[in-house]
Amino acid sequence: MADVAETPEIGLPIDSKEAVVVEEEKDIDQTKSEDADEHKNGDVRASGTEPAPEPEAKPGPEADNPPKHPPLAIIEGKVSDSSGEEAVPIDFVTMGMFIIDDIDFIPPTPPVKDILGGAGTYSALGARLFSPPPKSVSVGWIVDQGSDFPPSLSTLIDSWSTSALFRHDGLRLTTRGWNGYEGTTEKRAFRYLTPKKRLTAQDLTPPLLKSRSFHLICSPNRCRDLVSEITSLRKKVMAPETYTKPIFIWEPVPDLCTPDELLNCTNCLPLVDICSPNHAELAGFMGDSGLDPETGEISTIAVERACEQLLASMPLQSFSLVIRAGEKGCYIAKNGGRKRGRDPKTTKRRKKDYVRGGLQPDTDMEALFAGLLQDADGIVAREEIEVDPGVEKWVPAYHTDPSKVVDPTGGGNTFLGGLGVALARGESLEDAVACATVAASFAIEQVGVPTIGRDAEGREAWNGHNVEDRLREFRKRL
């Protein structure tokens, strides 16, 4: 999906590869014994570390050459290491699937095989870009490995040092997808090559359930179910005094962005913090193409009009729309309203002085009403009303040169990973969108995922660029 790219998006959005309707509503048939084996074989560890060796195993070369970073462990929703460093909380978890992609390009460009893909991979990438070690372990995702899982991909995932949950099942094949062009047209297409394995709330371990934010990519009805199930399970693994409501970011699947699903969509909006379709998916809910009829380009007017209609459908609820619109950038729309709350700084304490009996000429009316309004602690609750003006703003795409966009696959998912982790760490919506835009810029510069390394100053770099440097440069444009 060219969500933050500079070329118009056409055909089936390819960063939401869980979007085939027939596939979306099906579960893979598995017996109870297979489920038990899957959990038994699950390898819960930070992706940059090795699983614990068997007791009888002999020390390997690592004994003489210890790793640069100490082993990591996930404990009580946080990640700590053996050096006693303070635990790092899980900030982001995606419910997107892991997929291995095969991509067929238009000749003479040769095809590529065994490429990291899927909404889970790219959204985890987006969060990881803004999480250099030790924060890298604050990114959680699930990698389902079949009997055909390439060792090279395990090595690549390990290099990210995230809190990936590896689950190996030798009785099935890894979920694989084909990306290519059908016929003589340039319309991009996607289909599954092997049975997919969709994630459920029950797949989340207690540490992952305690994440500060969750990325959901699903139909409206399944979004409602996931929010309910994750919330219920989260309350079971967190003490009441520590429970907090997580941030839910919902990415609707393309094939169910139709007028028939509009009511279900609006019913989901109060349940999530961010709803983020791309421009074509948003237009699909409205029964429109989302394109300018004269130029054939993405219509910013159509995007704004559709957002206005969705916000008006729930005037008493607070939620945000972040519409990814290819080379146009993205549009932020948040409804305003009144925020109620008692400000402890302005709350006045009055001495308890209850006035009894009938009214007299010298009755202190202020004291009388204060006595009626104050609580047992002598506090008079005064409602503080703060007006939220809302947000309506376009944020440009990072790349202004179309030649910089090599492959838009995964741009939208990477965008939402960057958005989610920024919101989880307290960034404002507008600042989080800037982070998301920069994250997506790295995903679309090559086929597959960007290359991790070090810059001249020894800092972590992706495709040779430091992420924070790119973010600072982008913010100067805004």
Side-chain angles (χ1 to χ4, degrees):
M1 182 187 300
D3 296 314
V4 198
E6 284 64 46
T7 55
E9 179 180 354
I10 55 177
L12 178 65
I14 53 179
D15 66 330
S16 301
K17 296 174 183 173
E18 302 168 39
V20 180
V21 177
V22 176
E23 295 289 340
E24 168 61 31
E25 300 304 326
K26 291 183 179 179
D27 289 321
I28 297 176
D29 293 330
Q30 292 180 310
T31 63
K32 293 183 179 180
S33 61
E34 288 175 334
D35 288 335
D37 289 340
E38 177 181 84
H39 288 285
K40 181 179 179 181
N41 294 330
D43 178 13
V44 187
R45 60 187 174 90
S47 61
T49 63
E50 294 299 324
E54 296 295 331
E56 65 275 15
K58 296 181 180 180
E62 294 80 8
D64 297 324
N65 299 288
K68 184 175 181 180
H69 299 289
L72 301 166
I74 306 177
I75 304 174
E76 292 299 320
K78 297 182 179 181
V79 182
S80 60
D81 60 44
S82 58
S83 66
E85 294 292 329
E86 184 176 353
V88 178
I90 300 292
D91 288 330
F92 177 84
V93 166
T94 176
M95 296 299 292
M97 290 193 305
F98 175 88
I99 300 176
I100 298 177
D101 280 337
D102 291 344
I103 305 177
D104 287 344
F105 296 98
I106 297 176
T109 305
V112 292
K113 307 291 184 182
D114 291 347
I115 302 297
L116 276 182
T121 298
Y122 279 104
S123 56
L125 168 66
R128 173 61 181 85
L129 284 164
F130 284 94
S131 307
K135 284 187 177 181
S136 58
V137 292
S138 69
V139 179
W141 53 310
I142 295 177
V143 180
D144 282 310
Q145 301 171 307
S147 59
D148 60 337
F149 198 88
S152 60
L153 295 189
S154 294
T155 301
L156 177 56
I157 295 172
D158 282 346
S159 71
W160 293 3
S161 300
T162 58
S163 293
L165 170 58
F166 289 90
R167 304 191 302 184
H168 181 75
D169 184 352
L171 300 179
R172 67 181 298 272
L173 296 175
T174 308
T175 302
R176 289 179 176 268
W178 173 85
N179 293 271
Y181 298 88
E182 296 181 334
T184 59
T185 67
E186 294 187 2
K187 184 177 180 180
R188 194 73 175 262
F190 171 82
R191 66 172 180 267
Y192 287 102
L193 298 177
T194 61
K196 72 173 187 176
K197 184 170 178 58
R198 191 173 66 177
L199 302 182
T200 68
Q202 287 70 30
D203 291 323
L204 299 175
T205 61
L208 297 183
L209 283 168
K210 296 177 183 179
S211 172
R212 291 172 173 170
S213 65
F214 292 90
H215 165 240
L216 314 177
I217 173 169
C218 53
S219 66
N221 287 336
R222 187 161 181 258
C223 173
R224 183 173 59 249
D225 292 341
L226 280 175
V227 170
S228 175
E229 292 167 3
I230 291 174
T231 300
S232 177
L233 292 172
R234 180 182 176 88
K235 290 180 178 179
K236 293 180 180 179
V237 300
M238 297 183 71
E241 62 272 15
T242 63
Y243 178 82
T244 55
K245 183 181 180 298
I247 297 170
F248 286 107
I249 300 172
W250 175 40
E251 180 181 359
V253 290
D255 283 4
L256 290 178
C257 293
T258 65
D260 291 340
E261 289 291 325
L262 179 58
L263 179 59
N264 289 331
C265 173
T266 56
N267 288 337
C268 278
L269 295 179
L271 304 178
V272 299
D273 299 275
I274 305 288
C275 175
S276 183
N278 68 12
H279 69 280
E281 294 156 359
L282 176 66
F285 280 123
M286 304 301 171
D288 190 10
S289 67
L291 302 178
D292 187 310
E294 296 183 359
T295 65
E297 296 181 352
I298 297 171
S299 172
T300 57
I301 295 177
V303 169
E304 294 172 11
R305 181 175 61 245
C307 286
E308 183 178 357
Q309 292 174 341
L310 283 179
L311 292 177
S313 68
M314 292 285 179
L316 301 181
Q317 301 291 338
S318 178
F319 56 88
S320 301
L321 301 172
V322 179
I323 312 303
R324 296 161 282 122
E327 75 276 9
K328 301 293 184 181
C330 71
Y331 182 65
I332 310 171
K334 180 179 182 296
N335 55 350
R338 301 200 315 171
K339 294 182 178 179
R340 298 174 181 268
R342 189 175 68 188
D343 187 348
K345 295 181 180 179
T346 59
T347 299
K348 297 182 179 180
R349 287 184 173 272
R350 294 179 180 272
K351 181 180 179 181
K352 293 183 179 180
D353 184 16
Y354 297 103
V355 179
R356 297 177 174 82
L359 295 178
Q360 302 295 328
D362 59 346
T363 298
D364 186 341
M365 298 301 295
E366 183 178 357
L368 173 63
F369 284 108
L372 295 175
L373 295 174
Q374 66 189 5
D375 58 21
D377 295 326
I379 298 177
V380 178
R382 299 179 183 273
E383 182 184 46
E384 298 293 333
I385 300 176
E386 177 185 353
V387 177
D388 181 358
V391 179
E392 294 179 355
K393 181 178 182 179
W394 278 96
V395 176
Y398 178 81
H399 286 302
T400 57
D401 181 358
S403 66
K404 297 291 186 181
V405 182
V406 176
D407 184 3
T409 303
N413 302 135
T414 308
F415 178 99
L416 294 177
L419 179 71
V421 79
L423 291 173
R425 293 170 184 167
E427 296 286 350
S428 68
L429 178 59
E430 294 178 57
D431 287 339
V433 166
C435 294
T437 302
V438 169
S441 72
F442 285 95
I444 61 180
E445 293 175 342
Q446 68 289 306
V447 175
V449 297
T451 303
I452 187 173
R454 297 283 173 182
D455 63 10
E457 300 177 17
R459 301 174 301 173
E460 182 175 274
W462 296 79
N463 290 346
H465 298 277
N466 179 264
V467 177
E468 291 295 334
D469 285 351
R470 181 172 287 192
L471 177 61
R472 280 191 291 270
E473 182 268 324
F474 180 64
R475 280 177 169 163
K476 291 179 181 179
R477 304 187 210 167
L478 303 179

